[in-house]
Amino acid sequence: MVGSVSRKTDYVVAGDEAGSKRAKAGELGVTVLGEDAFLELLAPDRKET
């Protein structure tokens, strides 16, 4: 985890009201993931309950 977004950032995990970090990620072309996409990335075979 880091405190700022840069071109070296691979992903930003953000909710609907993420604010400036989400905007910065968009400007830099960094992939922004929601919670579900992040969890899928961590455990692609997990089942929804």
Side-chain angles (χ1 to χ4, degrees):
M1 284 186 52
V2 296
S4 62
V5 179
S6 73
R7 293 194 190 282
K8 293 181 180 182
T9 304
D10 293 316
Y11 300 103
V12 171
V13 180
D16 292 334
E17 299 180 25
S20 64
K21 288 190 173 121
R22 182 183 189 126
K24 183 70 171 180
E27 291 172 15
L28 295 173
V30 174
T31 301
V32 178
L33 302 173
E35 180 181 6
D36 290 339
F38 176 65
L39 292 173
E40 179 67 22
L41 183 68
L42 294 178
D45 296 328
R46 78 179 176 100
K47 301 289 183 201
E48 292 291 324
T49 55

